[in-house]
Amino acid sequence: MAREFSSVGVVGLGTMGAGIVEVFARNGIDVVAVEISDAALERGRTTLTGSTDRAVARGKLAEADRDALLARVDWQVGLDALHSVDLVIEAVPEHLDLKQRIFAELDRVCKPEAILATNTSSLSVTEISVATTRPNQVIGIHFFNPAPVMKLVEVVRTVVTSADVVADVEALCERLGKVDVTINDRAGFIANALLFGYLNHAVGMFESHYASREDIDAAMKLGCGLPMGPLALMDLIGLDTAYEILDTMYRRGGRDRRHAPVPLIKQMVTAGLLGRKSGRGFYTYERPGSPVVVPDEQTPVATGSALADGARAIAKVGVVGSGTMATGIIEVFAKAGYEVVSVTRGAEKSAKVCEAVKTSLNKGVVRGKLSEADRDAALGRVTWSATLDHLADVDLVVEAVVEELSVKKALFASLDEICKPGVVLATTTSSLPVIDVAMATQRPADVVGLHFFNPAPIMPLVEIVQTIRTSAETTATARAVCAALGKTGVVCGDRSGFIVNALLFPYLNDAVKMLEASYSTADDIDYAMKLGCGYPMGPFELLDVVGLDVSLAIQRELYLELREPGFAPAPLLEHLVTAGYLGRKSGRGFRDHTNR
């Protein structure tokens, strides 16, 4: 039987510590809340009362339950108050020497059978444990912020942590209504090891002026369904905290350059730009501690009409291709009021595309998203063709043919001969260099990438990819078209993966490497990212949906271009693809889908 914890201590009452106090007190457990001074203690008390008052105001907590919760908390200055608790959780800043001093003192103060736990998110639990005479009773209990809301707890055992201690803590997590994943003591554990490489990469994109902060954040929210963009999340975490975590992971995790903090992070920390808590980080906030973003010198300024930005007027659009993406793009433009010329390789393919567009529009009518009149009007705007010559008078051509450079270059050379001057020529490639396609024409200034996401009628994001030859007028036209389609256009340079894939796929690759190293299971890694980071899908769920072959191809492209060792495709991913385990489409990938 797991032991019953009747009282716990929490050391450090910042945002995380106060949240942990609330978690225990909500679940009927008496808490001794400890700080270093009366002023710090009062700040912790204010944080807790603010959180519980908000819960009452939102109808999440009854007033009587709030009062009972607060009555369970004993506020004390100094560690001596913890002499009789069953469990202590330390939640002080991420400095190893500080934590070691606290644990040495806790070892002296606490009763012999008490469990000593650290909430560290990146430091070595083993190194903390050896500051005590009872390392077998030391464990990591890593809550996620905000602790009362986030379901995940990482339970981190060292090589000497007692099995009974692990079992007791797992049972406690269940009592608290949390989902625990039990793992060994390794830099970053699961969630941070996967999250912070991605965050660091996003900061590198911003530092190199590859894309704006707004576009990077919008791309990951709209393209991947993430709750926050990476730069806004860095501001929430705190750039000083993020720097400490990255630096620790770099030094403890084999010196992987993906975890070497981007220089801009250290510069911002030195300048006091710590994120929300200081009122300014990547964004500027209403006041320190506020989540409300206010305009600053980097905020994009709207200039009014699209034509004032130099955009060309677009009335008629050609779409070349007959696959799923081409079909979706035809529907998107037709519904937005554009005249569309659909060009495929033959009447039979045209008929299939026409039928697919009709079917999709009819679904919209059935679901109440579209009136019958609007459906008929959209279909009436589309001309079906099997010859490129019918694109002679369009204002914009969107190419959505097979992802083979030779095919696309041949097509763009033909479009260059057929289309009138001033036409914007766009490719929907998700992986090929846009400049290679552009240079197949005599008008590279008019060529741009318009990377729609699948399914195009639903996904709100379009990556606008400008090459070093793309004119400002062409980019402005692409922006205006995306806005007219009701899409969010994000502008980036012509680099492998653009924004979304360049940030997403290395993270997925890191997850495969973690599984390959037998650090954790696919289920626990998926739980960690969904419950700890709010991701809509875990990495292995997503890999099986995308297709392991597609994922491998994208990762290879990133590695070939960037030559970064950390981007080399995980051998396990290569082996699964070789074995024909491609994900859902083949019935098996990281999981077996044959009986689902």
Side-chain angles (χ1 to χ4, degrees):
M1 290 288 291
R3 89 166 81 174
E4 187 72 22
F5 294 94
S6 58
S7 65
V8 302
V10 177
V11 180
L13 304 176
T15 304
M16 182 56 77
I20 294 170
V21 170
E22 181 177 341
V23 169
F24 282 108
R26 268 181 183 257
N27 286 278
I29 299 173
D30 292 334
V31 185
V32 180
V34 173
E35 257 296 357
I36 197 170
S37 67
D38 287 323
L41 197 69
E42 191 53 40
R43 284 195 296 272
R45 193 198 308 263
T46 301
T47 300
L48 178 62
T49 53
S51 175
T52 52
D53 286 349
R54 285 193 298 275
V56 170
R58 292 169 182 161
K60 304 280 189 182
L61 191 67
E63 287 191 30
D65 290 338
R66 174 199 58 194
D67 296 343
L69 183 161
L70 295 174
R72 291 187 192 103
V73 184
D74 179 15
W75 303 91
Q76 296 287 342
V77 173
L79 298 177
D80 287 337
L82 300 169
H83 59 88
S84 63
V85 299
D86 302 314
L87 164 72
V88 179
I89 297 186
E90 160 276 309
V92 303
E94 289 282 271
H95 301 295
L96 181 61
D97 57 344
L98 172 61
K99 291 181 188 282
Q100 287 177 327
R101 287 199 305 273
I102 287 173
F103 271 73
E105 188 65 12
L106 290 173
D107 188 35
R108 182 188 66 79
V109 167
C110 294
K111 59 189 182 184
E113 65 272 23
I115 293 174
L116 307 181
T118 173
N119 183 61
T120 184
S121 61
S122 63
L123 296 174
S124 168
V125 179
T126 305
E127 290 185 43
I128 294 169
S129 75
V130 296
T132 75
T133 60
R134 52 176 115 174
N136 62 314
Q137 287 169 238
V138 177
I139 194 167
I141 305 179
H142 178 218
F143 287 83
F144 286 74
N145 194 27
V149 176
M150 300 301 280
K151 283 286 188 185
L152 183 74
V153 175
E154 290 178 321
V155 177
V156 187
R157 63 188 168 216
T158 73
V159 289
V160 296
T161 305
S162 160
D164 288 343
V165 168
V166 174
D168 291 342
V169 169
E170 288 173 338
L172 176 62
C173 290
E174 187 175 353
R175 178 180 170 186
L176 297 175
K178 302 294 186 184
V179 174
D180 70 273
V181 293
T182 300
I183 46 180
N184 296 325
D185 184 22
R186 188 178 109 168
F189 314 137
I190 297 176
N192 281 354
L194 296 180
L195 177 67
F196 275 85
Y198 151 72
L199 295 178
N200 200 39
H201 191 183
V203 177
M205 271 190 181
F206 175 70
E207 182 186 53
S208 66
H209 304 287
Y210 177 68
S212 71
R213 62 187 182 183
E214 287 85 359
D215 281 357
I216 291 170
D217 280 355
M220 297 314 291
K221 285 171 65 181
L222 300 177
C224 298
L226 302 187
M228 295 183 77
L231 302 180
L233 181 55
M234 286 284 282
D235 277 358
L236 175 62
I237 292 167
L239 272 73
D240 50 346
T241 302
Y243 179 83
E244 291 293 337
I245 291 172
L246 281 165
D247 188 52
T248 301
M249 287 172 56
Y250 176 69
R251 287 185 286 104
R252 284 188 61 211
R255 299 190 177 270
D256 183 344
R257 280 170 49 190
R258 294 199 56 228
H259 292 137
V262 169
L264 178 61
I265 301 174
K266 184 65 180 293
Q267 293 163 18
M268 292 176 73
V269 170
T270 304
L273 307 177
L274 307 182
R276 284 190 190 182
K277 59 187 170 188
S278 69
R280 185 158 182 190
F282 289 102
Y283 296 90
T284 301
Y285 298 87
E286 202 170 44
R287 61 182 179 279
S290 170
V292 180
V293 175
V294 296
D296 59 20
E297 66 275 7
Q298 292 186 50
T299 304
V301 179
T303 57
S305 73
L307 294 178
D309 289 339
R312 302 169 194 168
I314 304 292
K316 194 171 185 179
V317 178
V319 179
V320 183
S322 56
T324 305
M325 187 56 76
T327 303
I329 291 169
I330 291 165
E331 180 182 338
V332 167
F333 276 103
K335 284 198 295 193
Y338 289 94
E339 294 294 319
V340 181
V341 180
S342 164
V343 179
T344 64
R345 289 183 303 168
E348 188 178 336
K349 286 188 181 292
S350 277
K352 283 185 179 177
V353 174
C354 178
E355 196 56 41
V357 172
K358 283 180 182 175
T359 300
S360 181
L361 290 170
N362 284 333
K363 283 181 184 173
V365 173
V366 170
R367 291 171 183 159
K369 306 277 190 184
L370 197 67
S371 70
E372 290 188 15
D374 287 340
R375 173 200 63 195
D376 296 342
L379 283 170
R381 295 187 192 104
V382 184
T383 302
W384 308 99
S385 171
T387 173
L388 292 174
D389 291 336
H390 289 154
L391 300 175
D393 64 341
V394 301
D395 306 307
L396 162 69
V397 178
V398 180
E399 163 274 310
V401 301
V402 66
E403 279 284 271
E404 289 182 20
L405 186 57
S406 59
V407 175
K408 291 183 187 287
K409 287 174 73 171
L411 171 61
F412 272 71
S414 298
L415 293 173
D416 190 31
E417 293 178 6
I418 293 165
C419 295
K420 65 187 181 184
V423 173
V424 173
L425 303 178
T427 172
T428 61
T429 184
S430 61
S431 60
L432 299 173
V434 177
I435 189 64
D436 282 1
V437 177
M439 294 309 291
T441 75
Q442 299 300 310
R443 49 175 111 183
D446 296 331
V447 178
V448 70
L450 280 182
H451 178 217
F452 288 79
F453 286 73
N454 196 27
I458 295 171
M459 295 296 282
L461 182 72
V462 179
E463 288 177 319
I464 300 168
V465 186
Q466 52 184 6
T467 76
I468 55 175
R469 295 289 296 269
T470 304
S471 70
E473 186 182 23
T474 299
T475 301
T477 305
R479 277 186 180 276
V481 166
C482 289
L485 295 175
K487 306 286 188 188
T488 297
V490 296
V491 177
C492 61
D494 182 22
R495 212 167 71 186
S496 187
F498 311 139
I499 298 174
V500 173
N501 286 353
L503 293 178
L504 174 64
F505 282 89
Y507 147 74
L508 297 176
N509 196 50
D510 286 347
V512 179
K513 290 179 181 177
M514 185 178 282
L515 178 67
E516 189 174 45
S518 300
Y519 180 64
S520 189
T521 65
D523 286 345
D524 278 357
I525 294 170
D526 278 356
Y527 283 139
M529 299 315 292
K530 288 195 291 185
L531 301 178
C533 300
Y535 283 25
M537 298 178 81
F540 297 106
E541 288 178 280
L542 184 54
L543 280 160
D544 276 2
V545 169
V546 171
L548 275 62
D549 52 340
V550 173
S551 303
L552 177 59
I554 292 171
Q555 192 61 36
R556 280 175 173 163
E557 288 290 334
L558 290 170
Y559 179 55
L560 281 171
E561 180 163 314
L562 301 173
R563 305 297 171 126
E564 178 63 59
F567 284 179
L572 177 59
L573 185 60
E574 303 242 19
H575 295 165
L576 288 168
V577 171
T578 302
Y581 293 172
L582 308 182
R584 284 190 184 176
K585 61 188 173 188
S586 70
R588 182 164 177 183
F590 286 98
R591 294 185 175 88
D592 188 344
H593 300 277
T594 53
N595 297 318
R596 298 189 182 193

